[in-house]
Amino acid sequence: MAFSIAVDVMGGDFGPGSTLPATRLFLDRNMAFNIHLFGPISIIEPWVDCLPPLLKKRVQCFHAPEVIDNQLTPKEAIRRYKNSSMRLAIESVKNRVSSAVVSGGNTGALMALSNIILQTLPGIARPAIAKSLPVLSLDAPNRNIVMLDLGANVECTPENLFDFALLGDALFRSICPAVKNPVVKILNIGVEEKKGHQLVRDAADLIGRSDLCFEGFIEPTELYSGQADVIVTDGFTGNAVLKTTEGLAKIFKERLQHTFKQSIVQMFGGLFLKGAIKKNFADFDPTHHNGAFILGLNGVVIKSHGNATIQGFLRALDFAAEQVSHGMLNQIRKNFSSHLKTDEDIMSLQTDLH
């Protein structure tokens, strides 16, 4: 039986202008997958009618007349928009009509709706946005790290960060099964035990008392060094760090391109270095790494960048397909349950902490 990916056609800054062309490219190169399109039928049906017959057979349209824009609060999205493309796409995963959902829409609404409709894994209070990022150190090439939370939970408790550590460990072991004990660290302004505010220090105590391979704090300067496999932080900090990295890479690339245009000599030098520059900047380019897990849910929900281009949204679809093909959700459940503590264990840790 073919897997099916639910697409929130109206999500993201470019809506159908990005999601539909990306879907066409995805269908061309992923024969094992079908697509479920959620959006106004007046928009999606004419597009489907233009597909070649063999592709058309692999696409189903679901009428979703309402659109959740970025200005809406999660409460408004939940209460007022019962027939939005985002909500109906998530419900299709709950009802096992679709294997996963991909949306570039309002992050807060996506988080809230996914949480309510799919619910979290046992023992998890809040889901987190998790992403696999490249290790950029020359000493550890071709490796990835997992970082969370990247924007789902602006304010967190130590217990939330403890949950994120468990989830991050489970995700990393699913992605890299050869690594039995991923190194977990908390993002902080220093590596000393007394550094940072009370949240990170209390979280460090909780995680340190678990059976995770916890090795304390890591500074932002070492984020992509490979010194940790799983990096835990609150959503505000994680989102700020990720966007800072992406913004800096974009500015540096623009400055480099500008430099090569300054003279004939520099232009020829740029041509010789073009391949190497392109390869290195691919590691920083959000387009090449688009697609983040909303981790901790009973279903596969992939968040795409809101400003994703066609190629960016295609990468998010490919990422969803990878998770479904490898049975990632079941692997995460299995890996997570191996560390899951009873309520008595967690209460004991909290009592010792306070």
Side-chain angles (χ1 to χ4, degrees):
M1 182 182 294
F3 298 113
S4 299
I5 303 293
V7 176
D8 173 12
V9 172
M10 308 308 292
D13 296 348
F14 307 113
S18 177
T19 57
L20 292 179
T23 296
R24 169 61 193 269
L25 294 172
F26 177 82
L27 287 167
D28 283 336
R29 68 190 200 187
N30 291 275
M31 300 302 294
F33 282 83
N34 294 332
I35 286 289
H36 294 160
L37 297 177
F38 290 82
I41 209 75
S42 59
I43 292 175
I44 57 179
E45 265 195 350
W47 181 83
V48 173
D49 288 341
C50 295
L51 293 175
L54 290 178
L55 292 187
K56 192 184 298 185
K57 289 181 180 179
R58 294 165 50 207
V59 179
Q60 273 188 275
C61 299
F62 295 85
H63 183 46
E66 298 172 344
V67 179
I68 295 175
D69 65 41
N70 287 329
Q71 307 305 316
L72 291 176
T73 66
K75 283 186 179 180
E76 289 174 322
I78 292 167
R79 293 176 180 175
R80 293 170 45 195
Y81 291 80
K82 305 295 186 183
N83 294 301
S84 68
S85 55
M86 181 187 289
R87 183 181 191 124
L88 296 184
I90 297 168
E91 287 180 349
S92 76
V93 174
K94 178 189 177 181
N95 297 329
R96 300 188 179 182
V97 174
S98 305
S99 309
V101 57
V102 180
S103 175
N106 182 317
T107 302
L110 184 64
M111 282 292 306
L113 286 169
S114 297
N115 199 359
I116 289 172
I117 295 169
L118 298 175
Q119 302 186 336
T120 57
L121 296 172
I124 293 296
R126 297 183 187 178
I129 296 179
K131 194 173 181 65
S132 177
L133 300 168
V135 171
L136 302 177
S137 171
L138 295 176
D139 297 328
N142 304 316
R143 277 187 54 200
N144 279 14
I145 60 173
V146 166
M147 186 172 172
L148 70 168
D149 180 20
L150 296 178
N153 304 282
V154 173
E155 296 181 357
C156 293
T157 65
E159 291 76 20
N160 294 146
L161 296 189
F162 181 33
D163 286 351
F164 300 164
L166 293 172
L167 289 170
D169 172 270
L171 177 59
F172 189 89
R173 286 191 287 144
S174 301
I175 294 172
C176 304
V179 181
K180 301 303 180 185
N181 293 296
V183 174
V184 179
K185 293 191 177 186
I186 298 175
L187 190 63
N188 198 359
I189 57 172
V191 297
E192 297 87 354
E193 288 185 6
K194 300 300 181 182
K195 281 289 181 73
H197 49 60
Q198 200 63 41
L199 168 65
V200 296
R201 285 184 279 157
D202 287 350
D205 280 340
L206 278 176
I207 300 170
R209 295 165 188 257
S210 72
D211 60 352
L212 295 172
C213 184
F214 180 63
E215 295 190 3
F217 299 129
I218 187 170
E219 295 186 74
T221 52
E222 304 297 336
L223 197 64
Y224 300 99
S225 66
Q227 293 183 20
D229 298 310
V230 178
I231 298 176
V232 176
T233 187
D234 62 89
F236 182 90
T237 305
N239 192 263
V241 167
L242 186 64
K243 288 180 177 176
T244 299
T245 301
E246 293 172 351
L248 184 60
K250 180 182 177 183
I251 290 172
F252 186 59
K253 183 178 180 180
E254 290 172 352
R255 287 177 67 93
L256 204 59
Q257 290 171 338
H258 176 74
T259 299
F260 287 138
K261 293 176 181 179
Q262 296 302 297
S263 70
I264 296 296
V265 174
Q266 289 171 322
M267 190 176 297
F268 275 109
L271 288 174
F272 280 114
L273 294 172
K274 184 177 179 180
I277 292 171
K278 185 176 181 180
K279 180 178 182 298
N280 278 280
F281 273 103
D283 288 334
F284 293 95
D285 189 348
T287 298
H288 292 269
H289 303 285
N290 190 32
F293 242 128
I294 298 187
L295 196 60
L297 297 169
N298 284 300
V300 177
V301 179
I302 304 300
K303 175 68 175 76
S304 167
H305 266 299
N307 62 355
T309 60
I310 293 170
Q311 287 299 319
F313 197 80
L314 173 61
R315 175 58 198 138
L317 291 171
D318 286 338
F319 182 69
E322 290 167 12
Q323 311 318 310
V324 172
S325 297
H326 296 127
M328 192 66 71
L329 183 60
N330 286 333
Q331 290 183 47
I332 289 171
R333 284 192 182 112
K334 180 181 176 182
N335 292 334
F336 174 73
S337 64
S338 69
H339 287 298
L340 189 61
K341 302 295 183 184
T342 65
D343 291 341
E344 290 77 11
D345 290 334
I346 294 174
M347 287 179 65
S348 176
L349 289 175
Q350 293 170 338
T351 300
D352 290 344
L353 177 62
H354 297 297

